[in-house]
Amino acid sequence: MEPPHNNTSKQDPGRRRPWVVGISGASGTPYAASVLRGLLAAGEAVDLIVSRASRLTLLDETGIAFRDAHWRTDLRAWLALGADGKPETFPVTEESLADVRYWPAGDLAAGPSSGSYPVKGMLIVPASTACVAGVALGLSKDLLQRVASVTLKERRRLVVTVRETPLNGPTLKHLVALDEAGAVVLPASPAFYAGATHIQDLVDFVAGRVLDAAEVPHGLYRRWEGELRGGSKEEAPDPS
């Protein structure tokens, strides 16, 4: 059995400043997987929090049961999965997960629950409306919400990738409150100008925008360059 907070990194612990990635129960676990792969590819350390509700969503969307005692094995299987459900789409090695720490959602004494724990910020991907409400109201009912509250009070970057439609009045008010508190509200809204030809392209676009908000370099999508159909693989028709 592996300790939840196990870290096999060779980095100086005093210099480790991870991104906390919180995964709530909204649909959209492929977004979270893409963000995690992007962070690891950029050489970023990650502290991972998977809510209880998100485990049910993950099981439903991927067939993967995320277990505290085997979290690294389950995480590797998840990150290797394509957005279309095809296994082993992405190469994920044990070495690539070396600087990932996992904290159970019920562990309110975890490192990131304190403002003195050094982190760069927090990315909530995806964020359910229940999670949005809990963070906006400062409920701190689990570790994910507690860390989000700490992130805001410490004036660190908080990106909230809300995944719900339509949005009702209370949720809109909660999102405005988060914006006013300094969070980046980033709806999971894929764009099509980058020439998407696969579901993974749409997922990676949203994940790339999350990483953009965190100022983490990546190559997940083709950026707009000011030309019509510039992201398409086909030539634009002659307007004349």
Side-chain angles (χ1 to χ4, degrees):
M1 181 178 296
E2 188 173 6
H5 57 277
N6 181 55
N7 176 40
T8 56
S9 172
K10 297 181 180 179
Q11 293 186 26
D12 179 353
R15 294 186 178 182
R16 184 180 186 273
R17 291 186 65 233
W19 283 98
V20 179
V21 177
I23 304 171
S24 77
S27 175
T29 54
Y31 294 129
S34 183
V35 167
L36 287 167
R37 287 192 297 265
L39 288 170
L40 297 177
E44 299 286 345
V46 172
D47 275 23
L48 179 64
I49 304 170
V50 180
S51 76
R52 292 179 179 178
S54 70
R55 294 178 189 228
L56 296 176
T57 307
L58 182 62
L59 180 62
D60 186 51
E61 294 185 345
T62 69
I64 295 173
F66 196 90
R67 303 159 294 175
D68 286 348
H70 305 281
W71 68 268
R72 192 177 293 275
T73 298
D74 298 336
L75 179 62
R76 198 207 71 80
W78 177 28
L79 297 189
L81 199 67
D84 58 359
K86 183 179 179 180
E88 303 300 331
T89 297
F90 298 98
V92 182
T93 64
E94 288 296 320
E95 183 179 2
S96 67
L97 301 180
D99 208 11
V100 178
R101 289 180 181 175
Y102 168 69
W103 303 95
D107 185 4
L108 292 178
S113 68
S114 171
S116 65
Y117 184 87
V119 302
K120 292 183 177 180
M122 183 178 190
L123 314 175
I124 304 179
V125 189
S128 66
T129 55
C131 174
V132 166
V135 176
L137 298 174
L139 299 182
S140 295
K141 73 171 187 176
D142 61 8
L143 181 61
L144 193 158
Q145 292 184 16
R146 169 59 185 169
V147 176
S149 294
V150 169
T151 302
L152 288 175
K153 81 178 182 68
E154 296 293 330
R155 301 297 190 267
R156 295 167 180 159
R157 181 64 55 90
L158 174 64
V159 182
V160 180
T161 309
V162 60
R163 215 306 307 164
E164 184 60 273
T165 189
L167 297 172
N168 61 17
T171 298
L172 291 170
K173 292 177 181 177
H174 292 148
L175 292 173
V176 169
L178 289 176
D179 176 77
E180 292 175 343
V184 176
V185 176
L186 197 154
S189 301
F192 296 85
Y193 61 76
T197 58
H198 190 276
I199 185 175
Q200 190 68 55
D201 298 326
L202 299 176
V203 167
D204 287 346
F205 179 87
V206 172
R209 296 298 287 154
V210 173
L211 295 177
D212 286 345
E215 298 184 349
V216 173
H218 67 87
L220 288 177
Y221 69 88
R222 187 181 303 177
R223 298 182 183 277
W224 175 251
E225 297 179 349
E227 298 179 6
L228 287 178
R229 305 273 314 263
S232 174
K233 295 180 180 179
E234 300 177 0
E235 292 185 3
D238 187 345
S240 61

